[in-house]
Amino acid sequence: MKTEIQTAILTSLEQMRADNLAAIGRLTDTVSLTAYASLTRQSAHGTVWTDALQTALREHQRILIPPAAEPYWIDDTVTVPSDRHIEAEGATIRLTPGCEVLMLRNEHTEDGTHAPISTAERDHNISIRGGRWEESNIRRGGYGKCCRYTHFGEDDDRARPFFGVSTCLLFNNITGLTLTDMTFAHTAGFCVQTGDLTNGVFENIRFEECFADGLHLNGNSENLYIRQISGEVGDDLVALNMYDWQNSSVNFGPTRNVLCDGLDLAAASPYKALRIEPGIYTYDDGTTVDCGLFDAIIRSVRGIATFKMYFQTPAYTIGTAPERGGVGSSDNLFFENITVDLTGPIDRFAEYMNSDPVRGTFAAFELGSHIGYVSFENIDLTLYKDRYPLSCLACIGPKSVRVGEREVFDPYLTSHVGTVVLKNIRINGEPVRDDNSLIRTIAFDDINADGNSTGCGTVKEILWL
């Protein structure tokens, strides 16, 4: 039986989804993009529709992009106002080669890097259904080199307003976002980046030869319905990064009330992880925000080897101070109906590959947060203990990997889980009960001999149902 909290999450999110769809249905002012063909221009790649699409969105609520033999080429960022719906079933919309800015964003985006955003002007009710949304890339572009928020400065100094944006589609400072039945292809940065979002629906979205994250969902968000997400990406299929590094986010804060249901990562994807990143973020004035995850169901997941749920700073030189921040909080997390083939550590450092007795623990679920309650139900895990004796279902505590004089993780962090609930756990095809060795705690005692590498993980109780 589902707990009352799970039922409340599902009921509220189904109602939110219905409300979003009803709001879309009230938009009736419709035009075909082809009505603006006079605003197109020719390029070496084909017909460019940037001005046509921008004008249509400015003047009408519903834009129909009909199927066509040629892609609809876009060579600059198109801004989407509130109360807009794009219907693109059967159409291909593609950024021109060499275009270094993102394709679509909402009108009143806000940068929350330095202080919490202002919501005085907040967009609402934006949706896209259907379409193949493409870039013209064959590899990951790198932060600041592609998918940027604006053009370079006129003096070509590569100015980066909204420093943490690196995506094909950006939506933040918005209530009511619905993206359904879409395919993304050949994206050099994230496919979709969001944050400061209330009432978001992401359903039936597929990725083909994408090179970074699929859905990159940043903090200060509430009511996220994420369902039937699949395909090939270079990094996380879905990233719930409430906290993130400054080159990967402009929105920081807690995320509440989430369903991730039906995630299927393609076998060709090189990095089989799903990032869930709580943490403490510090604004310019020194105030902090706990970027936690609360009331979340993650279920029916295939193709993911490791769920990474810990604060992490950029790598730093041992003996110097890491980037400021700290362990974030979470509560009421439910992982259900998940198959994991843990063929090896997701990060193939020597410490893990060689089962270092202190640093070498790795797991399907790597926890490094202050978590009140977490449940694992119907988990089918394959371990290879003959090769990796320190692999396990879940671990709690800090991580440490040294590369020369550089520390990759944050061995000084201490984290805690209150209650771990386990139900219907299978290891290598066999049901398991009352085996607490599947949950490992990690402790370091000045492991780098620098006075800043002592931390541990603890668990109050483990309940087998």
Side-chain angles (χ1 to χ4, degrees), residues 205-207 227-233 237-238 261-267 269 274 299-304:
I205 296 176
R206 180 163 181 80
F207 307 106
R227 188 170 179 272
Q228 300 304 326
I229 311 298
S230 65
E232 180 184 353
V233 293
L237 183 67
V238 175
D261 182 17
L263 310 184
D264 190 357
L265 181 67
S269 298
L274 191 151
R299 69 185 187 189
S300 300
V301 181
R302 301 292 181 272
I304 302 295

Side-chain angles (χ1 to χ4, degrees), residues 127-450:
S127 59
I128 302 171
R129 191 182 80 85
R132 183 179 175 88
W133 302 81
E134 295 188 351
E135 295 177 7
S136 301
N137 296 297
I138 59 173
R139 62 181 65 88
R140 186 162 184 167
Y143 302 114
K145 299 178 182 178
C146 69
C147 314
R148 295 188 331 279
Y149 184 85
T150 62
H151 292 292
F152 291 150
E154 290 185 2
D155 58 353
D156 198 28
D157 64 353
R158 295 190 174 253
R160 288 176 62 187
F162 284 53
F163 184 86
V165 169
S166 179
T167 188
C168 183
L169 274 56
L170 170 69
F171 298 100
N172 78 4
N173 186 31
I174 181 171
T175 299
L177 173 67
T178 307
L179 306 180
T180 59
D181 304 318
M182 302 170 70
T183 297
F184 291 87
H186 312 300
T187 53
F190 310 138
C191 296
V192 179
Q193 183 173 352
T194 72
D196 278 274
L197 165 66
T198 302
N199 301 345
V201 174
F202 308 87
E203 191 168 14
N204 297 326
I205 296 176
R206 180 163 181 80
F207 307 106
E208 296 182 5
E209 295 183 354
C210 296
F211 304 112
D213 290 354
L215 300 182
H216 187 84
L217 310 179
N218 291 132
N220 209 29
S221 298
E222 186 170 6
N223 301 334
L224 304 182
Y225 182 99
I226 304 158
R227 188 170 179 272
Q228 300 304 326
I229 311 298
S230 65
E232 180 184 353
V233 293
D235 206 337
D236 300 304
L237 183 67
V238 175
L240 296 173
N241 285 16
M242 294 69 63
Y243 165 91
D244 210 337
W245 297 349
Q246 288 195 353
N247 63 6
S248 304
S249 180
V250 292
N251 303 99
F252 303 88
T255 291
R256 303 178 186 277
N257 218 40
V258 177
L259 172 66
C260 290
D261 182 17
L263 310 184
D264 190 357
L265 181 67
S269 298
Y271 196 71
K272 296 175 173 57
L274 191 151
R275 169 73 80 174
I276 302 169
E277 189 162 14
I280 303 297
Y281 184 76
T282 306
Y283 292 111
D284 289 358
D285 66 359
T287 60
T288 61
V289 59
D290 186 349
C291 307
L293 178 64
F294 305 95
D295 299 341
I297 298 171
I298 299 171
R299 69 185 187 189
S300 300
V301 181
R302 301 292 181 272
I304 302 295
T306 301
F307 295 77
K308 306 175 75 170
M309 192 172 174
Y310 48 83
F311 171 83
Q312 183 180 357
T313 66
Y316 59 94
T317 301
I318 294 171
T320 65
E323 185 176 284
R324 61 184 178 178
V327 171
S329 302
S330 296
D331 200 8
N332 296 326
L333 308 181
F334 303 89
F335 294 90
E336 305 174 7
N337 304 331
I338 295 172
T339 298
V340 175
D341 186 6
L342 196 59
T343 57
I346 190 70
D347 301 309
R348 301 182 73 80
F349 293 111
E351 287 84 344
Y352 302 126
M353 298 296 292
N354 299 329
S355 301
D356 181 276
V358 180
R359 291 181 164 101
T361 295
F362 67 92
F365 298 89
E366 299 192 340
L367 311 178
S369 309
H370 297 312
I371 303 172
Y373 178 99
V374 59
S375 169
F376 301 101
E377 182 175 354
N378 294 330
I379 308 298
D380 195 340
L381 171 63
T382 301
L383 295 174
Y384 299 82
K385 286 286 194 177
D386 56 335
R387 178 68 182 88
Y388 302 107
L390 299 182
S391 61
C392 54
L393 172 67
C395 62
I396 174 72
K399 295 166 67 69
S400 176
V401 165
R402 287 191 64 156
V403 179
E405 292 304 307
R406 302 277 285 174
E407 171 62 67
V408 175
F409 296 103
D410 300 277
Y412 52 90
L413 296 177
T414 287
S415 50
H416 176 72
V417 178
T419 300
V420 178
V421 172
L422 300 161
K423 182 178 180 180
N424 295 337
I425 307 299
R426 291 175 297 280
I427 305 299
N428 296 348
E430 296 296 325
V432 176
R433 277 190 58 83
D434 301 322
D435 184 357
N436 288 353
S437 69
L438 293 172
I439 312 294
R440 293 180 59 91
T441 57
I442 300 170
F444 298 146
D445 183 7
D446 200 16
I447 195 170
N448 288 329
D450 63 347

